[in-house]
Amino acid sequence: MTDTPPPGARNATPPAGAARPSGQEGGAPGSEQKLWIERIPAGWWALAIVLLFMPAVANNFWLFQVFGWTFILGMIALSLMFLAGYGGMVSLIQMSVAAMGGYMVAILGPSGVETISLGLPWWLNIPLAILIAAVFATLVGALAVRTEGIYTIMITLAIASAFFYFTRQNYGIFNGYTGFNLVVPPMLFGVDWRQPVAFYYLSLGLAVLCYAAVVYVSRTPFGLALQGVRDNPRRMAALGFNVTAHRIAAYTFAGAIAAIGGILLVWQNSQIAPGTAGLPAVFDILVIAVVGGLRRPSGAFIGALIYVLLRTFSPDVLTAFELSNERFKLLIGLGFLVVVFFSPDGMLGLYDRWKANRGRRDPLTGKERE
Amino acid sequence: MRKWLVASVSAAALVLPGAALAQDSIKIGVLVALEGAFAAGGSDAVRNIELAISEAGGMAGGKAIETVIAPTDTTPDTTIRQARKLVEQDGVDFVVGPLSGSEGIAIRDFAKTVPDKVFINGISGALEMTWVDPAPNVYRFNLDGAQWGQGLGSYVVNEKGWTKVASIAADYSFGYTNFLGFAVDFCRAGGEIVERFWVPLGSSDFGGVIAQMPDDVDAIYLGMGGTDAINFLNQYDQAGADTNLIGGTIMADATVLTSRGRAKEALVGTPTSGAFAPDNPDPAWQEYLAKYRAFEGDEAKVPSLFGVGYHVAMLAAIQALNEVEGDLSNGQEKFKAALAGLELASPLGTITLNENRQATGSVFVTEVVEGSDGNLEAVFKARQDGVTQTLGLTADEFRAMGLPSRDTPDCDALRGG
């Protein structure tokens, strides 16, 4: 996989203003250096306003379930996007890392299973949970980076399924089949963070933070080196970069993001059980990332929104057409097939092509076509 | 133009309140597993719900019944999401479901956050759902996994004369719970459990366990289901062992009975117990069976455990709605009281609820025999009526015994007491 970056990742022509994976942005030739705030395109401002004022129009179900879940899955898919898009490593361990974070919050903090949970205060258990999940991701990464392409997928899949079976069989720490219930966010600043509006802003805020972190890291020397490693590991090694260390560090960083998503996921469901990181959930993250598009961080969230909408409403769509809604999975599968069929690089690819068509600019010269 | 249309439709979808209740109909959410290992049982459950509604003429308490099916995959995560969708987005009046044990525990916790909505369990058999910190708005008209084991223990001691058994069962909550029901009954009848083996769900190699099996036992309790049971039986047969077997509730199901090969030969003569017996002579059951077969258009079809459970739950809902004439006002207070006081004449006999809103009802002991066509069948042997949540112990005794686990119950203590 390291020799073949995700479709179009190298030769892409990102639309102006959107975050680029390559981080080579130096401003178009001839344009003046603007303030960072002026460089944010209008679309982003509009999106920010829509998201901020969503609670004024949407009901609790949409806030908590649809958007809350979208942001959470988006964060976990974002961690995969970081590894796959910038590092060229398709990892199936991200859901397990998220679940590890969630489990650690349940085990270290308070939960309904008082015989196991330690009940540590939030300022201790949350950082510890993220740390442990990141260490777990690092260990998996250390194993996985020795392989490439399909073998990376296989080894992370093997560890993910081992994690699932281990949590299901281990009663001493993970409470086996039953898992942990009544895991709720701490009452901080007098706010019950599980109320729909509060949880919406909490998950939105953390999603934005994670997004910003990924965009920032992709432009740091580390991020640029990681992309170099993706495109040509041998040349990077010759230049004196430690290829293995860069890849492992990418796993650590992605692991921390996945862990934040996992902790929110546990808070949202107020419980965690082995099924949270079962193999279907593991594959769902890959599907989300691919459907959204691996080229830019925003793809993860677009994919998550599509997944959540299909997952939530496909039985209703079938019922509306008076079909048996037992077959709702068919509709979900068809939806994803359609996206991947018409745009192998996900929704982002569709958007980019639409934009390119609209502007009719020559991708080489940037000038209007005749 | 089209973009505006899409935008305004999506805006409308966002703004529309979920709880737009029509006054002349009752909206029932059905939480049922339609993917995963129990999908077949789940669709049987949906058919049984439809059967119960069509029997009632589509009406309950003078209002038309409307159902919203929410499919789950038996993971608690999905179940909670779907339950929330039913309550918040679809605006159902109450929920029937879920299907599996861990889902039941998740719904118990979720139900506490929406105290104004009633939850009637589908067929979740987790003891904890109505025993540990039960939710005041969760009602269960089926017996739990421990109750399903009751009656089998005394049957094997008194009828078969087997007093010394070893057990091998699946290492998860239903395995523990179902075994506890058997063991409490068995030990109190004077039986002795020599050794307990717990094997992971989905095991395929039982060689180690079979080698460790003690020889001087009267029977082996087998608390596994599906392919696990088939694998075990095949290997057990190959090892040349021929001790009597006692089956847990999910062991003698269709998967095992209709399997090919030598596995099932070992099963002939094995007593098991559970929520129903297909050839139960009770007229109420026979009437239900006839209706079910006519509804399905299949003269030989036997309903699944899941189907029967959802059917009984729906019957309870309809009967209670009729009693209160569809009055769901004031936090569904009247409906709740009607459910709690219900004396339900079901195909499985009379069912009442205790103070934890858990059913007291009948358990059926069956035995596996070779049928006329060479297939195995479970035939009705005995029934035990009035099986309580605490298995005939007092609540304090039951609590003192501890929750089901690898080492609970303590057989010696029960035999002595």
Side-chain angles (χ1 to χ4, degrees):
Chain A
M1 190 53 76
T2 37
D3 293 328
T4 45
R10 226 183 313 187
N11 305 321
T13 46
R20 297 184 192 190
S22 47
Q24 302 146 341
E25 195 170 21
S31 75
E32 285 171 41
Q33 192 71 30
K34 293 180 192 168
L35 276 177
W36 67 271
I37 204 155
E38 289 174 291
R39 279 185 287 157
I40 297 175
W44 287 89
W45 287 110
L47 181 68
I49 287 169
V50 167
L51 287 176
L52 277 177
F53 290 96
M54 188 66 80
V57 286
N59 70 18
N60 285 348
F61 177 78
W62 277 83
L63 288 180
F64 190 78
Q65 186 109 323
V66 176
F67 288 111
W69 198 18
T70 299
F71 295 140
I72 291 168
L73 288 179
M75 274 182 259
I76 302 172
L78 178 66
S79 74
L80 171 59
M81 180 273 144
F82 179 79
L83 286 177
Y86 297 129
M89 301 173 284
V90 177
S91 151
L92 289 177
I93 201 69
Q94 298 316 113
M95 191 64 218
S96 306
V97 172
M100 178 64 107
Y103 262 119
M104 283 306 141
V105 161
I107 292 167
L108 300 172
S111 87
V113 185
E114 279 155 11
T115 47
I116 296 177
S117 291
L118 300 175
L120 297 177
W122 65 269
W123 50 265
L124 199 54
N125 79 46
I126 296 172
L128 266 179
I130 296 173
L131 186 71
I132 293 172
V135 168
F136 174 57
T138 311
L139 291 176
V140 175
L143 277 174
V145 295
R146 300 176 187 285
T147 57
E148 287 188 2
I150 192 85
Y151 300 103
T152 308
I153 298 181
M154 291 310 291
I155 199 166
T156 49
L157 175 63
I159 299 171
S161 69
F163 179 80
F164 167 66
Y165 284 108
F166 182 74
T167 54
R168 201 168 72 165
Q169 293 303 332
N170 180 291
Y171 280 80
I173 303 169
F174 291 100
N175 204 27
Y177 195 76
T178 322
F180 295 84
N181 59 355
L182 302 178
V183 189
V184 291
M187 288 278 287
L188 271 187
F189 316 114
V191 178
D192 179 357
W193 291 99
R194 236 183 139 247
Q195 290 305 313
V197 176
F199 190 83
Y200 172 82
Y201 283 121
L202 177 68
S203 49
L204 172 64
L206 288 172
V208 169
L209 269 181
C210 289
Y211 178 87
V214 166
V215 171
Y216 174 77
V217 167
S218 72
R219 295 172 184 179
T220 58
F222 163 70
L224 294 174
L226 185 66
Q227 290 162 62
V229 166
R230 170 196 69 195
D231 293 341
N232 198 331
R234 198 176 288 177
R235 187 178 294 173
M236 290 303 280
L239 286 172
F241 286 93
N242 186 336
V243 169
T244 310
H246 274 80
R247 287 177 173 167
I248 295 177
Y251 268 94
T252 311
F253 175 69
I257 288 174
I260 295 171
I263 292 170
L264 283 175
L265 187 66
V266 174
W267 284 346
Q268 193 195 28
N269 292 329
S270 88
Q271 65 97 34
I272 184 164
T276 306
L279 292 186
V282 165
F283 294 130
D284 284 346
I285 296 301
L286 181 64
V287 169
I288 289 170
V290 169
V291 163
L294 287 169
R295 217 187 278 176
R296 285 193 298 276
S298 52
F301 293 96
I302 296 170
L305 182 64
I306 294 172
Y307 173 84
V308 168
L309 289 178
L310 277 174
R311 204 49 221 248
T312 309
F313 295 107
S314 63
D316 299 334
V317 172
L318 287 178
T319 312
F321 289 105
E322 300 194 349
L323 295 166
S324 161
N325 69 6
E326 280 170 35
R327 302 282 171 256
F328 69 101
K329 277 250 147 168
L330 188 68
L331 201 65
I332 298 179
L334 280 177
F336 291 148
L337 267 184
V338 166
V339 171
V340 177
F341 182 78
F342 286 106
S343 174
D345 43 1
M347 294 303 278
L348 283 179
L350 274 184
Y351 173 77
D352 289 348
R353 274 196 293 280
W354 172 76
K355 193 136 188 188
N357 268 342
R358 199 167 168 240
R360 291 264 170 231
R361 280 177 190 278
D362 191 304
L364 285 177
T365 59
K367 284 180 185 152
E368 292 270 349
R369 281 178 177 159
E370 297 303 314
Chain B
M1 200 57 212
R2 248 170 78 204
K3 245 191 300 169
W4 276 111
L5 191 68
V6 172
S8 43
V9 167
S10 15
L14 283 174
V15 181
L16 272 182
L21 295 179
Q23 288 303 310
D24 52 349
S25 72
I26 286 178
K27 211 171 180 184
I28 304 175
V30 180
L31 206 50
V32 60
L34 290 176
E35 37 174 328
F38 297 128
S43 30
D44 191 41
V46 174
R47 293 291 289 159
N48 268 283
I49 293 242
E50 288 166 2
L51 171 63
I53 294 173
S54 84
E55 285 296 306
M59 305 280 282
K63 295 179 181 177
I65 301 176
E66 205 184 314
T67 55
V68 183
I69 310 274
T72 77
D73 56 5
T74 70
T75 64
D77 281 6
T78 313
T79 308
I80 291 185
R81 286 187 200 292
Q82 293 292 0
R84 197 180 288 126
K85 173 169 178 282
L86 285 175
V87 171
E88 293 180 0
Q89 180 71 14
D90 299 325
V92 299
D93 292 304
F94 62 91
V95 176
V96 175
L99 184 139
S100 74
S102 46
E103 290 181 284
I105 297 171
I107 283 299
R108 174 198 70 191
D109 293 334
F110 175 73
K112 290 175 190 164
T113 65
V114 279
D116 287 349
K117 301 274 178 193
V118 161
F119 288 78
I120 302 174
N121 181 42
I123 189 68
S124 162
L127 170 73
E128 291 89 341
M129 186 177 180
T130 51
W131 178 250
V132 182
D133 204 6
N137 49 338
V138 170
Y139 300 79
R140 178 153 70 179
F141 287 88
N142 64 286
L143 302 186
D144 66 33
Q147 288 172 294
W148 286 332
Q150 179 84 351
L152 181 61
S154 45
Y155 177 82
V156 300
V157 171
N158 299 331
E159 303 290 324
K160 297 279 185 183
W162 300 340
T163 54
K164 221 172 154 189
V165 306
S167 76
I168 165 167
D171 197 1
Y172 76 118
S173 60
F174 184 79
Y176 305 150
T177 309
N178 196 219
F179 175 70
L180 175 121
F182 164 78
V184 167
D185 194 27
F186 180 70
C187 297
R188 290 176 86 208
E192 187 190 346
I193 295 167
V194 187
E195 204 152 2
R196 304 173 196 201
F197 296 98
W198 299 103
V199 289
L201 266 185
S203 294
S204 54
D205 182 9
F206 298 96
V209 178
I210 291 172
Q212 290 179 63
M213 278 286 168
D215 291 329
D216 56 338
V217 291
D218 297 326
I220 293 169
Y221 173 92
L222 194 56
M224 290 182 274
T227 48
D228 287 11
I230 295 171
N231 283 333
F232 175 82
L233 288 167
N234 276 324
Q235 292 169 28
Y236 184 67
D237 193 56
Q238 283 158 11
D242 56 355
T243 318
N244 300 311
L245 295 172
I246 302 169
T249 295
I250 51 169
M251 197 215 64
D253 74 354
T255 326
V256 181
L257 294 185
T258 57
S259 72
R260 296 183 179 276
R262 297 178 63 192
K264 58 185 189 179
E265 286 169 25
L267 272 181
V268 174
T270 299
T272 68
S273 66
F276 72 106
D279 60 340
N280 176 7
D282 187 350
W285 171 262
Q286 289 298 336
E287 192 193 330
Y288 159 71
L289 200 60
K291 279 182 195 160
Y292 173 78
R293 286 173 172 171
F295 192 67
E296 291 288 288
D298 182 348
E299 274 311 299
K301 196 168 179 186
V302 176
S304 64
L305 168 68
F306 310 105
V308 177
Y310 273 79
H311 188 75
V312 170
M314 201 65 204
L315 289 181
I318 291 171
Q319 190 172 329
L321 283 171
N322 285 336
E323 271 180 33
V324 301
E325 292 169 346
D327 182 359
L328 293 174
S329 61
N330 205 3
Q332 310 192 337
E333 212 168 86
K334 281 186 180 166
F335 183 46
K336 287 176 181 168
L339 282 171
L342 213 57
E343 196 165 299
L344 184 70
S346 79
L348 302 173
T350 307
I351 295 171
T352 54
L353 295 190
N354 70 4
E355 69 284 357
N356 290 335
R357 295 156 300 282
Q358 163 63 34
T360 303
S362 309
V363 175
F364 298 84
V365 177
T366 56
E367 220 171 277
V368 178
V369 297
E370 197 159 353
S372 48
D373 54 353
N375 265 339
L376 295 187
E377 302 173 350
V379 295
F380 174 74
K381 282 289 168 185
R383 69 185 277 176
Q384 186 164 358
D385 294 326
V387 176
T388 61
Q389 185 176 26
T390 53
L391 308 175
L393 304 169
T394 65
D396 287 336
E397 283 171 347
F398 192 74
R399 192 163 281 123
M401 193 168 65
L403 286 174
S405 71
R406 291 179 178 187
D407 307 318
T408 307
D410 178 356
C411 199
D412 293 334
L414 284 164
R415 201 168 44 245

